[in-house]
Amino acid sequence: MNITMLQGKIHRATVSDANLNYVGSITIDTELIEASGMRIGQKVDIVDVNNGERFSTYVISGKRGSRDICLNGAAARKVHVGDKIIIIAYASMSFEEADSYKPKVVIVDEDNNIVECYEGLE
């Protein structure tokens, strides 16, 4: 049996763009993707701190160092530029894996610069 666990998250990122005329997804600066342990194409949940919206999409890679966080397609209607969001990735793992796994947490500032990275929730 497997359990779905937090794999990694980017905490309180600032939405830098919302592009309605795109097929869909969230564009994230490649450095932020790597720091959080997320994967291109991975399903993520987006939580908008400003308006309470919570929805799912998938990750695409943005320009390294750009600090872009852009919601694309229909998801662009659920956020506004400047909103604070939490980007949450999950992974399916066995109970044994879950007992020792430490999710990656990335804290960013107002400009989506990495302020802190750590592993675990305690």
Side-chain angles (χ1 to χ4, degrees):
M1 180 183 304
N2 283 340
I3 186 170
T4 302
M5 298 290 294
L6 174 66
Q7 177 192 344
K9 73 175 183 172
I10 302 171
H11 193 72
R12 294 186 62 90
T14 303
V15 175
S16 58
D17 195 8
N19 182 356
L20 185 60
N21 298 312
Y22 189 84
V23 178
S25 65
I26 181 169
T27 303
I28 304 173
D29 177 322
T30 300
E31 289 179 12
L32 296 174
I33 293 171
E34 292 170 354
S36 67
M38 293 178 192
R39 309 289 290 208
I40 306 304
Q42 184 174 15
K43 179 181 178 182
V44 291
D45 283 347
I46 308 299
V47 180
D48 189 314
V49 176
N50 294 79
N51 64 23
E53 287 281 357
R54 186 177 189 117
F55 55 93
S56 298
T57 189
Y58 61 92
V59 174
I60 63 172
S61 182
K63 181 179 175 190
R64 181 178 296 277
S66 67
R67 298 304 181 243
D68 284 343
I69 301 289
C70 177
L71 277 301
N72 301 301
R77 293 203 183 274
K78 297 192 171 279
V79 300
H80 291 95
V81 172
D83 281 2
K84 294 290 183 190
I85 62 172
I86 303 167
I87 306 164
I88 308 165
Y90 302 94
S92 179
M93 56 188 79
S94 70
F95 283 92
E96 293 77 22
E97 290 171 312
D99 287 342
S100 62
Y101 185 78
K102 303 263 189 242
K104 293 182 178 183
V105 178
V106 178
I107 309 294
V108 295
D109 66 12
E110 295 288 321
D111 298 314
N112 296 328
N113 294 304
I114 297 172
V115 173
E116 182 179 4
C117 292
Y118 59 90
E119 293 185 3
L121 297 175
E122 298 175 8

